Amino acid sequence: RSLSSGSDGESRLARVLRERFPRAASVRVVDISGGCGAMYEVHVESEEFRGKRTVQQHQMVNEALSEEIKHMHGLRIFTSTPKP
């Protein structure tokens, strides 16, 4: 599975993240490769991250995207918990 088209890749990654983090308040995926689908930036705000260190949150995202990551050159991950 290639993530060649930017918008297709963004949609696919966002769908995978929403399935993995159903309580996410926000999921945003941006193709930062200039449109070739080789590098993405993901922002996930989810209650599932509460009480976890940043590295643990990023590991959760990496695990969720493990298949997609195989086709990428790079991935920037930003995670947070919803503000009360």
Side-chain angles (χ1 to χ4, degrees):
R1 285 187 325 176
S2 172
L3 300 177
S4 57
S5 170
S7 59
D8 288 349
E10 290 170 353
S11 299
R12 184 165 36 253
L13 295 180
R15 186 172 57 250
V16 169
L17 290 169
R18 284 193 193 94
E19 288 172 4
R20 171 57 183 85
F21 302 104
R23 299 183 332 174
S26 171
V27 172
R28 192 164 58 93
V29 178
V30 181
D31 182 342
I32 56 172
S33 66
C36 73
M39 189 160 180
Y40 290 89
E41 184 172 290
V42 299
H43 298 258
V44 182
E45 180 181 334
S46 180
E47 195 59 46
E48 284 119 317
F49 297 140
R50 191 163 307 283
K52 294 187 171 37
R53 295 188 327 268
T54 302
V55 69
Q56 293 172 309
Q57 297 172 15
H58 289 200
Q59 287 170 338
M60 292 168 70
V61 172
N62 275 316
E63 182 180 312
L65 297 176
S66 61
E67 282 303 308
E68 288 74 12
I69 287 172
K70 293 176 184 177
H71 305 284
M72 294 181 201
H73 292 292
L75 177 66
R76 287 186 193 160
I77 300 171
F78 297 91
T79 55
S80 61
T81 54
K83 303 290 182 260

PDB file of all heavy atoms in Angstrom, residues 10 30-35 37-41 74-76:
ATOM      1  N   GLU A  10      -3.248  11.306   3.858  1.00  0.00           N
ATOM      2  CA  GLU A  10      -3.730  12.014   5.047  1.00  0.00           C
ATOM      3  C   GLU A  10      -5.029  11.390   5.539  1.00  0.00           C
ATOM      4  O   GLU A  10      -5.184  11.137   6.741  1.00  0.00           O
ATOM      5  CB  GLU A  10      -3.956  13.496   4.724  1.00  0.00           C
ATOM      6  CG  GLU A  10      -2.685  14.273   4.501  1.00  0.00           C
ATOM      7  CD  GLU A  10      -2.913  15.667   3.939  1.00  0.00           C
ATOM      8  OE1 GLU A  10      -4.052  16.009   3.582  1.00  0.00           O
ATOM      9  OE2 GLU A  10      -1.940  16.420   3.852  1.00  0.00           O
ATOM     10  N   VAL A  30      -1.063  15.952   8.362  1.00  0.00           N
ATOM     11  CA  VAL A  30      -0.618  16.865   7.310  1.00  0.00           C
ATOM     12  C   VAL A  30       0.540  16.216   6.556  1.00  0.00           C
ATOM     13  O   VAL A  30       1.516  15.769   7.172  1.00  0.00           O
ATOM     14  CB  VAL A  30      -0.153  18.215   7.906  1.00  0.00           C
ATOM     15  CG1 VAL A  30       0.289  19.158   6.799  1.00  0.00           C
ATOM     16  CG2 VAL A  30      -1.254  18.850   8.740  1.00  0.00           C
ATOM     17  N   ASP A  31       0.426  16.168   5.228  1.00  0.00           N
ATOM     18  CA  ASP A  31       1.521  15.694   4.388  1.00  0.00           C
ATOM     19  C   ASP A  31       2.542  16.823   4.302  1.00  0.00           C
ATOM     20  O   ASP A  31       2.258  17.880   3.738  1.00  0.00           O
ATOM     21  CB  ASP A  31       0.984  15.337   3.001  1.00  0.00           C
ATOM     22  CG  ASP A  31       2.061  14.790   2.075  1.00  0.00           C
ATOM     23  OD1 ASP A  31       3.257  14.982   2.355  1.00  0.00           O
ATOM     24  OD2 ASP A  31       1.691  14.183   1.063  1.00  0.00           O
ATOM     25  N   ILE A  32       3.719  16.628   4.881  1.00  0.00           N
ATOM     26  CA  ILE A  32       4.744  17.674   4.878  1.00  0.00           C
ATOM     27  C   ILE A  32       5.874  17.340   3.903  1.00  0.00           C
ATOM     28  O   ILE A  32       6.962  17.894   3.974  1.00  0.00           O
ATOM     29  CB  ILE A  32       5.294  17.928   6.304  1.00  0.00           C
ATOM     30  CG1 ILE A  32       5.845  16.650   6.926  1.00  0.00           C
ATOM     31  CG2 ILE A  32       4.223  18.547   7.191  1.00  0.00           C
ATOM     32  CD1 ILE A  32       6.561  16.872   8.248  1.00  0.00           C
ATOM     33  N   SER A  33       5.572  16.442   2.958  1.00  0.00           N
ATOM     34  CA  SER A  33       6.592  16.008   1.995  1.00  0.00           C
ATOM     35  C   SER A  33       6.489  16.760   0.677  1.00  0.00           C
ATOM     36  O   SER A  33       7.195  16.428  -0.269  1.00  0.00           O
ATOM     37  CB  SER A  33       6.452  14.510   1.730  1.00  0.00           C
ATOM     38  OG  SER A  33       5.222  14.254   1.071  1.00  0.00           O
ATOM     39  N   GLY A  34       5.596  17.724   0.612  1.00  0.00           N
ATOM     40  CA  GLY A  34       5.408  18.425  -0.647  1.00  0.00           C
ATOM     41  C   GLY A  34       4.434  17.705  -1.557  1.00  0.00           C
ATOM     42  O   GLY A  34       4.373  17.966  -2.746  1.00  0.00           O
ATOM     43  N   GLY A  35       3.690  16.755  -1.000  1.00  0.00           N
ATOM     44  CA  GLY A  35       2.650  16.078  -1.766  1.00  0.00           C
ATOM     45  C   GLY A  35       2.978  14.665  -2.216  1.00  0.00           C
ATOM     46  O   GLY A  35       2.130  13.988  -2.779  1.00  0.00           O
ATOM     47  N   GLY A  37       3.730  12.128  -0.253  1.00  0.00           N
ATOM     48  CA  GLY A  37       3.268  11.139   0.718  1.00  0.00           C
ATOM     49  C   GLY A  37       4.374  10.405   1.448  1.00  0.00           C
ATOM     50  O   GLY A  37       4.150   9.330   1.976  1.00  0.00           O
ATOM     51  N   ALA A  38       5.569  10.973   1.490  1.00  0.00           N
ATOM     52  CA  ALA A  38       6.687  10.288   2.135  1.00  0.00           C
ATOM     53  C   ALA A  38       6.912  10.726   3.577  1.00  0.00           C
ATOM     54  O   ALA A  38       7.582  10.046   4.332  1.00  0.00           O
ATOM     55  CB  ALA A  38       7.969  10.517   1.333  1.00  0.00           C
ATOM     56  N   MET A  39       6.343  11.876   3.964  1.00  0.00           N
ATOM     57  CA  MET A  39       6.543  12.370   5.326  1.00  0.00           C
ATOM     58  C   MET A  39       5.274  13.054   5.807  1.00  0.00           C
ATOM     59  O   MET A  39       4.671  13.844   5.082  1.00  0.00           O
ATOM     60  CB  MET A  39       7.717  13.344   5.380  1.00  0.00           C
ATOM     61  CG  MET A  39       8.100  13.725   6.779  1.00  0.00           C
ATOM     62  SD  MET A  39       9.773  14.380   6.812  1.00  0.00           S
ATOM     63  CE  MET A  39       9.931  14.730   8.541  1.00  0.00           C
ATOM     64  N   TYR A  40       4.893  12.723   7.027  1.00  0.00           N
ATOM     65  CA  TYR A  40       3.660  13.261   7.595  1.00  0.00           C
ATOM     66  C   TYR A  40       3.908  13.835   8.975  1.00  0.00           C
ATOM     67  O   TYR A  40       4.839  13.443   9.681  1.00  0.00           O
ATOM     68  CB  TYR A  40       2.592  12.158   7.712  1.00  0.00           C
ATOM     69  CG  TYR A  40       2.065  11.716   6.388  1.00  0.00           C
ATOM     70  CD1 TYR A  40       2.683  10.689   5.685  1.00  0.00           C
ATOM     71  CD2 TYR A  40       0.955  12.322   5.821  1.00  0.00           C
ATOM     72  CE1 TYR A  40       2.204  10.283   4.456  1.00  0.00           C
ATOM     73  CE2 TYR A  40       0.468  11.923   4.590  1.00  0.00           C
ATOM     74  CZ  TYR A  40       1.107  10.901   3.919  1.00  0.00           C
ATOM     75  OH  TYR A  40       0.639  10.506   2.697  1.00  0.00           O
ATOM     76  N   GLU A  41       3.024  14.736   9.340  1.00  0.00           N
ATOM     77  CA  GLU A  41       2.983  15.285  10.690  1.00  0.00           C
ATOM     78  C   GLU A  41       1.598  14.929  11.223  1.00  0.00           C
ATOM     79  O   GLU A  41       0.595  15.195  10.554  1.00  0.00           O
ATOM     80  CB  GLU A  41       3.169  16.793  10.617  1.00  0.00           C
ATOM     81  CG  GLU A  41       3.229  17.474  11.956  1.00  0.00           C
ATOM     82  CD  GLU A  41       3.605  18.941  11.815  1.00  0.00           C
ATOM     83  OE1 GLU A  41       4.771  19.222  11.474  1.00  0.00           O
ATOM     84  OE2 GLU A  41       2.724  19.780  12.007  1.00  0.00           O
ATOM     85  N   GLY A  74       9.512   9.642   6.907  1.00  0.00           N
ATOM     86  CA  GLY A  74       9.548  10.296   8.201  1.00  0.00           C
ATOM     87  C   GLY A  74       8.162  10.578   8.740  1.00  0.00           C
ATOM     88  O   GLY A  74       7.180  10.625   8.000  1.00  0.00           O
ATOM     89  N   LEU A  75       8.089  10.729  10.065  1.00  0.00           N
ATOM     90  CA  LEU A  75       6.830  10.990  10.739  1.00  0.00           C
ATOM     91  C   LEU A  75       7.111  11.887  11.940  1.00  0.00           C
ATOM     92  O   LEU A  75       7.955  11.558  12.776  1.00  0.00           O
ATOM     93  CB  LEU A  75       6.206   9.670  11.206  1.00  0.00           C
ATOM     94  CG  LEU A  75       4.912   9.758  11.992  1.00  0.00           C
ATOM     95  CD1 LEU A  75       3.785  10.305  11.120  1.00  0.00           C
ATOM     96  CD2 LEU A  75       4.526   8.382  12.528  1.00  0.00           C
ATOM     97  N   ARG A  76       6.413  13.004  12.005  1.00  0.00           N
ATOM     98  CA  ARG A  76       6.481  13.883  13.185  1.00  0.00           C
ATOM     99  C   ARG A  76       5.209  13.645  13.981  1.00  0.00           C
ATOM    100  O   ARG A  76       4.118  13.691  13.428  1.00  0.00           O
ATOM    101  CB  ARG A  76       6.523  15.351  12.771  1.00  0.00           C
ATOM    102  CG  ARG A  76       7.804  15.791  12.179  1.00  0.00           C
ATOM    103  CD  ARG A  76       7.743  17.290  11.963  1.00  0.00           C
ATOM    104  NE  ARG A  76       8.835  17.717  11.111  1.00  0.00           N
ATOM    105  CZ  ARG A  76       8.852  18.847  10.435  1.00  0.00           C
ATOM    106  NH1 ARG A  76       7.836  19.679  10.497  1.00  0.00           N
ATOM    107  NH2 ARG A  76       9.872  19.159   9.685  1.00  0.00           N
TER     108      ARG A  76
END
